[in-house]
Amino acid sequence: MSNQTNTEKLFAYRDQFCAIKLVIAMVLDNKLQAATSSIYPSISGSSESAIKQRSKLKNLYYIPHSSIEVNESTVLLSLIEDNFGPLEKLSSVVLSDAFAADLVAQTASSDAENELTLTLGNAGMRCAFTKDNGVEFTPQNKVYDFDGQAGFILSSDEQKNLSLLVYQIASTLEQRDAVQQLISQGQASPLAELFGQIELANGQRVTPATAEQLAQFLTSDNIDKVTTFIGINMYKPSW
C-alpha cells in the first residue's frame, strides 16, 4: 500500500473519529444538543436562509465541537506518529469541511435517522471495534431491521453511556487492544465484564445488560446488527 493511500485512509479515520467526538460533545452538553436541534427544521431547501443555516450548523457547531486534542487519544497519537513521524508540538484534529458538509446534508435529509445511524455506527465500529486500529475498514451500507426486538433501543441514559464507552475505547490504546483480543477470541462474557469496568467521562458505567448485549453482538459476526445497534443509540441522544 502506498503512503498516499495510507494517508487518505488515516484522514478518513480522522473524520469518523471526530464525528464520534461531536456526538460526545452533544451528549455531555445539553445546551449544545438543543442549539443544533433548533436549527434542523430550517436547513432543508435551496433558499438563502436554508443555505445560511446549513453553513451555521457546519462552521459554528459541527466542526468546532468535533475537535480532538491529539494528546487525549493514545490511539490517534500512535496512528499519526506511525504515518507522519513524531509530532514536535501536539495539536488537535477536527472534521474535514467535506465530511462536516456531508453530516449537514444527512441531517437535512428526509431519511436522516437511517443515514446518520449508518454514519455513526460505521464510525463506532471503525474507531473502537475493528482490528488494526480501523484504518483498514469496509463500511456497512444498510441499516439492520431491528423492528420489534426488545432492548435494541436503549434508555436515554444508556444511549449516552454507550456513546461515551465507544469514544473511550476508540481513544485508549490499551483498552482498544484488550477489546480486540476478546472479540477475535469470541469471548463474549469477558468482553462484557471489561465493558462494565470502564469508567466513563460522566463518572458512570454502562449497565451489565448493555455490556452483555454489546459483547454478544460484537462476537456474533453480524456486522449489520452491531453497526446499527451502535449507530442508532449514538444518534438518539445527540441528533
Side-chain angles (χ1 to χ4, degrees):
M1 180 187 301
S2 70
N3 287 336
Q4 183 177 2
T5 302
N6 252 337
T7 301
E8 288 173 355
K9 290 185 176 181
L10 179 60
F11 286 145
Y13 173 94
R14 178 274 319 272
D15 276 337
Q16 292 189 304
F17 198 6
C18 287
I20 300 173
K21 179 58 185 291
L22 176 59
V23 169
I24 299 309
M26 289 193 274
V27 161
L28 293 176
D29 186 347
N30 291 334
K31 290 182 179 179
L32 174 61
Q33 199 273 341
T36 54
S37 294
S38 70
I39 299 173
Y40 296 158
S42 60
I43 61 175
S44 298
S46 57
S47 69
E48 182 178 345
S49 174
I51 293 170
K52 184 179 292 186
Q53 290 296 88
R54 289 196 293 271
S55 179
K56 176 181 178 180
L57 192 61
K58 175 170 71 77
N59 294 301
L60 299 181
Y61 288 107
Y62 282 3
I63 291 177
H65 290 284
S66 71
S67 178
I68 300 173
E69 295 292 331
V70 172
N71 64 339
E72 293 178 358
S73 169
T74 51
V75 174
L76 189 58
L77 179 59
S78 176
L79 282 171
I80 289 174
E81 291 189 335
D82 285 348
N83 283 270
F84 296 103
L87 290 175
E88 289 75 15
K89 184 178 186 302
L90 293 178
S91 59
S92 60
V93 295
V94 296
L95 287 169
S96 68
D97 190 81
F99 195 91
D102 191 42
L103 282 180
V104 172
Q106 290 179 46
T107 303
S109 167
S110 60
D111 196 28
E113 180 170 318
N114 281 340
E115 290 187 23
L116 287 162
T117 290
L118 267 181
T119 294
L120 298 177
N122 279 319
M125 283 298 297
R126 180 177 206 160
C127 297
F129 303 118
T130 304
K131 64 181 181 179
D132 300 325
N133 290 322
V135 175
E136 296 292 334
F137 176 75
T138 303
Q140 299 303 299
N141 57 18
K142 65 177 181 178
V143 173
Y144 173 79
D145 183 5
F146 59 86
D147 186 42
Q149 293 190 28
F152 200 91
I153 302 293
L154 301 174
S155 69
S156 58
D157 285 343
E158 278 302 282
Q159 288 168 1
K160 294 177 181 180
N161 286 342
L162 178 64
S163 301
L164 291 166
L165 179 68
V166 170
Y167 185 71
Q168 174 79 7
I169 293 169
S171 298
T172 311
L173 195 58
E174 183 179 357
Q175 290 177 350
R176 198 184 192 290
D177 287 347
V179 166
Q180 276 306 308
Q181 184 175 3
L182 293 172
I183 291 175
S184 67
Q185 296 171 350
Q187 298 287 316
S189 293
L191 185 59
E193 184 177 353
L194 175 59
F195 289 153
Q197 292 172 349
I198 296 174
E199 185 173 352
L200 307 174
N202 60 359
Q204 299 181 20
R205 290 177 170 83
V206 295
T207 65
T210 299
E212 179 66 26
Q213 184 162 215
L214 178 60
Q216 290 290 343
F217 286 167
L218 285 167
T219 55
S220 69
D221 204 31
N222 189 330
I223 305 302
D224 280 350
K225 189 173 187 177
V226 69
T227 300
T228 299
F229 175 72
I230 292 168
I232 192 66
N233 285 297
M234 291 177 70
Y235 166 81
K236 293 284 187 181
S238 52
W239 258 262

